[in-house]
Amino acid sequence: MDKNEKIILLIIKYTPPFFIIVLSIIVSFILFENNKKVFEKEKQATQKQFIENNKKYIKGEVERLNAYIRNEQEQTEKN
């Protein structure tokens, strides 16, 4: 075998695995970035929902406390 044939055989032997490894890395990176974007969207939606729920809860508690204070004030004024 001459030198050119050896080089061609080496290229044929190592090019497919190298190509597969590079392609796997690219696909993995794309999937990682996509999952990262999906996670960020879900995170923001969860945070927004959590804040809205707590706002409603706090508003209800404030209204309940306000009604209690008014009731106590009325009871005090009657006595």
Side-chain angles (χ1 to χ4, degrees):
M1 280 181 140
D2 67 341
K3 190 174 182 179
N4 286 336
E5 288 177 348
K6 287 183 180 180
I7 292 174
I8 290 174
L9 285 175
L10 283 174
I11 291 173
I12 291 172
K13 184 176 179 182
Y14 292 112
T15 300
F18 178 76
F19 178 73
I20 290 172
I21 290 171
V22 169
L23 186 62
S24 297
I25 291 170
I26 292 170
V27 169
S28 295
F29 179 75
I30 291 170
L31 290 174
F32 175 77
E33 288 298 317
N34 186 35
N35 288 338
K36 187 176 168 183
K37 288 177 186 178
V38 169
F39 171 76
E40 286 299 322
K41 286 181 183 179
E42 288 180 8
K43 177 182 157 189
Q44 289 175 355
T46 303
Q47 285 177 336
K48 185 177 179 179
Q49 183 181 10
F50 177 78
I51 290 170
E52 288 299 317
N53 289 342
N54 281 334
K55 281 182 182 180
K56 290 177 185 177
Y57 174 76
I58 291 171
K59 184 177 180 178
E61 288 296 309
V62 168
E63 289 173 355
R64 186 180 66 80
L65 184 61
N66 194 12
Y68 174 77
I69 291 171
R70 274 193 248 127
N71 186 28
E72 287 294 316
Q73 187 177 16
E74 288 174 5
Q75 294 296 326
T76 304
E77 289 174 357
K78 286 183 183 177
N79 294 332

